[in-house]
Amino acid sequence: MSQLKSQENKKGADDTATRILDAAEVLFAENGFAGTSARDITSSAGCNVASINYYFTGKDNLYKQVCKRRLNALRDFRINSINDYMAQSPEDISLEGLLYNFSRAFLAPLIEEASGRNVMKLMVREMLFPQLPANMVFEELILPMSTVLQDAMVKVCPGLGERQALWSIFSLVGQLLHTMHIQDMLSSNSGEKFSNPFEVSSAVDHIVAFTVAGVEALIA
Amino acid sequence: MSQLKSQENKKGADDTATRILDAAEVLFAENGFAGTSARDITSSAGCNVASINYYFTGKDNLYKQVCKRRLNALRDFRINSINDYMAQSPEDISLEGLLYNFSRAFLAPLIEEASGRNVMKLMVREMLFPQLPANMVFEELILPMSTVLQDAMVKVCPGLGERQALWSIFSLVGQLLHTMHIQDMLSSNSGEKFSNPFEVSSAVDHIVAFTVAGVEALIA
DNA sequence: AAAAGTATAAAACATTTGTTTGAAAAGTCA
DNA sequence: TGACTTTTCAAACAAATGTTTTATACTTTT
């Protein structure tokens, strides 16, 4: 019994260190690094202020760990998703299918979990206004993900150059992120200023169709 | 002589209040609201800490004024740019011309001034992670701008529905912003991980061609 | 030139910040 | 049980925060 509890506490969800990570993720995503105090985090996590320096060496490292925890999982999920799609028999592969599959994987955190929005917010924040040295989000997420998708697109699209593929990826990801942000705004603004029906899946449909046409125009 | 200097000081560039606004704009864009201290601002502006509370009532209001100063100018410039284009004789108007014209206007701060990047960063920051109540950027920039462009697109593109036009605008703006961000990353990352040649004007060429194809696919 | 008004600055204000300390509590293992 | 480690917490720390005060310089007006 006590051994079981011990094992649970090592990795369990109510482990203090994990509770701090979870609380910090929400607050960092919402209010940024400088906008979140150590006491905000620990009071939200239900523990003492000193715990941040006990489990993590300080606020800076805590932020780093919060980012790292999600970065690898996000990257692997997206890359695996691309590779899985490309592993199909060739006649089942198409540009539209590839981009649709990738877009769903890209937005998966938003679609699946409720906490997914925090993860996305945190990543976008760290991408646009990096707090960490060495541009972790770029090196460990954007660059490897783009490279894999670039190769896949070139394979699927005969006649599409590498640079054209890369720019098309920027176009696609730009649309996905921006649509996400607009949706976020609309949901916080109660008034439906734009005729609202803004669902994730229909947005993906639009963006993929839009992008396929754009890519094909590059080849022609 | 003293009268001349007085007039200069009322609106001149080395007016203390203006110097504070300028310094605050750079620092807020770079480090965010919470990440910028009052002393950071005043030491950068070359004046005393108390000046923030003398000219503006406090840090909060200063931030508000920093945003307001650019918001209206940005919105008017973009909207006027659209209206100017649409005021041409009909045979000179095309979808490609409209989108190209808009894209150049959208990125104008980046293209023209060196300080333009700060303005863009500040706006993006306030759009994604608003500090101000009432979502100023959305209400006073995105919404009016989108509405005007939406009307223009529907006029230029027979058969394009209003909602399709709006989604196309999101696609276009998403690409413009994301390209800007990627470029910003590449310029800060010394290593040229992506084969670099990433110039604003060629990026706009790609994005406009890409978007025109996307829009035409919606109509067909 | 004297008076009135405006602008600047140094110092002090009370809070809040991240981090450290030292001791008490809980858990582990002989 | 009793020694040992790990975890938790209240309290204290110096440094930094936004803001206010008070006095001094500068400008304008009379």
Side-chain angles (χ1 to χ4, degrees):
Chain A
M1 167 58 180
S2 74
Q3 283 181 3
L4 178 64
K5 195 177 176 193
S6 158
Q7 283 180 3
E8 279 179 348
N9 278 353
K10 293 277 183 189
K11 298 249 174 188
D14 44 7
D15 182 49
T16 301
T18 309
R19 258 169 31 236
I20 291 177
L21 279 173
D22 290 338
E25 181 176 277
V26 175
L27 292 169
F28 283 148
E30 202 70 32
N31 311 114
F33 179 78
T36 304
S37 76
R39 285 169 181 81
D40 287 340
I41 297 170
T42 52
S43 86
S44 168
C47 62
N48 192 272
V49 211
S51 303
I52 285 187
N53 283 278
Y54 180 76
Y55 286 104
F56 313 87
T57 59
K59 193 189 163 192
D60 292 87
N61 183 254
L62 169 60
Y63 180 78
K64 193 174 170 183
Q65 299 304 325
V66 167
C67 289
K68 266 196 171 176
R69 181 169 68 146
R70 302 296 183 189
L71 257 181
N72 297 339
L74 218 52
R75 179 200 55 208
D76 293 344
F77 179 77
R78 289 174 184 174
I79 289 181
N80 289 340
S81 178
I82 298 171
N83 289 335
D84 287 352
Y85 182 84
M86 297 302 288
Q88 293 178 109
S89 55
E91 63 263 24
D92 291 334
I93 295 179
S94 68
L95 175 63
E96 185 179 1
L98 174 64
L99 298 187
Y100 185 80
N101 182 75
F102 171 77
S103 299
R104 301 283 301 186
F106 189 92
L107 298 180
L110 261 106
I111 299 172
E112 293 162 9
E113 320 167 50
S115 72
R117 179 141 293 153
N118 295 326
V119 180
M120 297 292 269
K121 264 194 181 177
L122 188 75
M123 292 298 140
V124 169
R125 213 186 255 274
E126 178 59 26
M127 171 186 154
L128 300 185
F129 312 107
Q131 304 280 349
L132 300 171
N135 237 335
M136 267 177 53
V137 178
F138 181 78
E139 297 283 345
E140 299 192 24
L141 182 64
I142 297 179
L143 184 59
M145 180 193 81
S146 300
T147 305
V148 173
L149 183 56
Q150 189 182 18
D151 290 346
M153 284 187 70
V154 169
K155 255 180 207 134
V156 165
C157 274
L160 186 70
E162 286 195 1
R163 182 164 310 167
Q164 289 175 319
L166 191 56
W167 283 26
S168 300
I169 293 172
F170 295 155
S171 288
L172 172 59
V173 172
Q175 289 175 79
L176 289 171
L177 286 174
H178 190 62
T179 301
M180 188 188 91
H181 296 146
I182 293 283
Q183 184 197 293
D184 211 48
M185 276 187 162
L186 291 182
S187 66
S188 58
N189 278 20
S190 61
E192 304 180 357
K193 294 303 169 57
F194 292 128
S195 53
N196 187 34
F198 220 44
E199 207 191 341
V200 176
S201 75
S202 57
V204 169
D205 289 345
H206 161 80
I207 291 173
V208 170
F210 205 92
T211 304
V212 168
V215 172
E216 283 171 353
L218 291 183
I219 305 177
Chain B
M1 167 60 184
S2 73
Q3 283 182 1
L4 179 64
K5 194 178 176 191
S6 158
Q7 283 180 3
E8 279 178 348
N9 279 355
K10 293 278 182 187
K11 298 249 176 190
D14 44 7
D15 182 49
T16 300
T18 309
R19 263 173 21 240
I20 292 177
L21 278 174
D22 290 338
E25 181 176 277
V26 175
L27 293 170
F28 282 147
E30 202 70 33
N31 311 114
F33 179 79
T36 304
S37 76
R39 284 169 181 81
D40 288 340
I41 297 170
T42 51
S43 85
S44 168
C47 63
N48 192 272
V49 211
S51 302
I52 285 187
N53 283 278
Y54 180 76
Y55 285 104
F56 313 87
T57 59
K59 194 189 163 192
D60 292 86
N61 184 253
L62 168 61
Y63 180 78
K64 193 175 172 185
Q65 299 304 324
V66 166
C67 289
K68 265 198 172 176
R69 180 170 68 147
R70 301 297 184 189
L71 257 180
N72 296 340
L74 218 52
R75 179 200 54 208
D76 293 344
F77 179 77
R78 290 175 183 174
I79 289 181
N80 289 340
S81 177
I82 298 170
N83 288 336
D84 287 352
Y85 181 85
M86 296 301 289
Q88 293 177 110
S89 55
E91 63 263 23
D92 292 334
I93 295 178
S94 68
L95 174 64
E96 185 179 2
L98 173 65
L99 298 187
Y100 185 80
N101 181 75
F102 171 77
S103 300
R104 301 283 300 185
F106 189 92
L107 298 179
L110 261 106
I111 298 172
E112 293 163 9
E113 321 165 50
S115 72
R117 179 141 294 154
N118 295 326
V119 179
M120 297 291 270
K121 264 193 183 178
L122 187 75
M123 290 299 136
V124 170
R125 212 187 257 276
E126 179 58 26
M127 171 186 154
L128 298 185
F129 312 107
Q131 305 279 349
L132 299 172
N135 237 336
M136 267 178 54
V137 178
F138 181 77
E139 296 284 344
E140 299 192 23
L141 182 64
I142 298 179
L143 183 58
M145 183 193 79
S146 300
T147 305
V148 173
L149 183 56
Q150 190 182 16
D151 289 347
M153 285 187 67
V154 169
K155 255 182 207 134
V156 166
C157 274
L160 186 71
E162 287 195 0
R163 181 165 309 168
Q164 290 176 318
L166 190 57
W167 282 26
S168 301
I169 293 172
F170 294 156
S171 288
L172 173 59
V173 172
Q175 290 176 79
L176 290 170
L177 286 175
H178 190 61
T179 301
M180 187 188 92
H181 295 147
I182 294 283
Q183 184 196 295
D184 211 50
M185 276 186 161
L186 291 180
S187 66
S188 59
N189 278 20
S190 61
E192 304 180 356
K193 293 302 168 57
F194 291 131
S195 52
N196 187 33
F198 221 44
E199 207 191 341
V200 177
S201 76
S202 57
V204 169
D205 288 346
H206 160 80
I207 291 173
V208 170
F210 205 91
T211 304
V212 168
V215 172
E216 283 171 352
L218 291 183
I219 305 177

